[in-house]
Amino acid sequence: MQSATTLAEPRPTVADFHRVNRGGGLFSESISQWLGAVFALVAQRLGLRPTALTIANLVLGLATSVTVVALAGRVAAGDVPAWAVGLLALVGWQVAYCLDCADGQLARVTGQGSAAGARVDVLCDVAAQIALVAALAATAVAQEPSTPSWLVAIFAGTWMVNLVTSVMQAGPNAASMVTSTSLPVRLVKLVRDYGAVIFAAGLVLAFAPGLVLWVMVAFTIVNGGFLLASIAFSARASLR
């Protein structure tokens, strides 16, 4: 007669969770997805559902961004050290993103995926990124009160291009404009790797908050340019 131990299914490992990750770029795959796999493993051991990680991502992401917004004026005035707020943002946003990576891994490995869970995941991602954009915009305005309102609006709008295109590329009709996976290409693509972007944003907040305005300008150009290129790429494909 076989023992209960023999009959029991093997428990998933960190590698098992990481194996089903959905990528995200060089930084995300090398760091964020691995940390997400650790979180997924812990959640599986605790019996948590994927949506619990999704909500944790939302709460932590919102709390971090709200704190950055609330302290933006005091950082600009020199009452609060920029490094403290930047460190908070760096850690808070990264952990939130790792939880976002973990919920999908947990769902796929444990078979708990659902259409409703996927919708909650996307909606929470949208909310967390809106808060992040607000935090960066509030810092830029606090550091440079003459920041044009139109720049803030365009920055906010184009920032969501990453999220929209990521969702579009998850379906059966996904297509990439640049299919090369060579290291130089992947390094260039770091400008659209969410894990790398929020890491860079945290560093700027910590060490050079006065440059946040130029970070906004840079990402407005990058994301706006990618949007236009994506429209042209898709239009060309549809006309063939």
Side-chain angles (χ1 to χ4, degrees), residues 106-122:
L106 179 63
R108 288 185 284 277
V109 169
T110 61
Q112 298 182 76
S114 67
R119 288 195 297 270
V120 171
D121 185 27
V122 172

Side-chain angles (χ1 to χ4, degrees), residues 7-212:
L7 293 173
E9 294 183 359
R11 303 177 81 179
T13 65
V14 170
D16 292 326
F17 285 107
H18 184 265
R19 193 174 297 115
V20 299
N21 81 81
R22 292 292 176 84
L26 184 60
F27 183 98
S28 292
E29 292 168 33
S30 301
I31 298 176
S32 307
Q33 293 287 4
W34 275 110
L35 291 175
V38 174
F39 289 150
L41 178 69
V42 172
Q44 190 269 336
R45 297 290 192 266
L46 295 176
L48 299 178
R49 294 185 64 83
T51 298
L53 299 181
T54 303
I55 299 301
N57 156 40
L58 175 64
V59 171
L60 181 57
L62 289 180
T64 301
S65 295
V66 167
T67 302
V68 173
V69 171
L71 296 178
R74 298 184 64 185
V75 170
D79 298 330
V80 174
W83 66 263
V85 176
L87 180 61
L88 170 69
L90 185 65
V91 174
W93 287 335
Q94 283 294 335
V95 173
Y97 178 50
C98 291
L99 289 168
D100 183 37
C101 296
D103 59 9
Q105 294 179 20
L106 179 63
R108 288 185 284 277
V109 169
T110 61
Q112 298 182 76
S114 67
R119 288 195 297 270
V120 171
D121 185 27
V122 172
L123 292 171
C124 286
D125 287 346
V126 171
Q129 292 199 34
I130 288 173
L132 186 146
V133 167
L136 294 177
T139 300
V141 172
Q143 292 287 330
E144 183 52 67
S146 62
T147 299
S149 57
W150 59 263
L151 173 60
V152 174
I154 296 177
F155 167 68
T158 56
W159 180 274
M160 303 311 292
V161 171
N162 258 355
L163 183 58
V164 172
T165 53
S166 295
V167 172
M168 291 173 63
Q169 289 182 354
N173 298 319
S176 175
M177 290 187 295
V178 182
T179 57
S180 173
T181 57
S182 66
L183 182 58
V185 170
R186 300 192 78 196
L187 288 173
V188 171
K189 284 186 173 183
L190 282 174
V191 297
R192 300 195 68 254
D193 181 332
Y194 186 70
V197 168
I198 57 176
F199 179 77
L203 290 179
V204 173
L205 286 174
F207 299 108
L211 296 180
V212 171

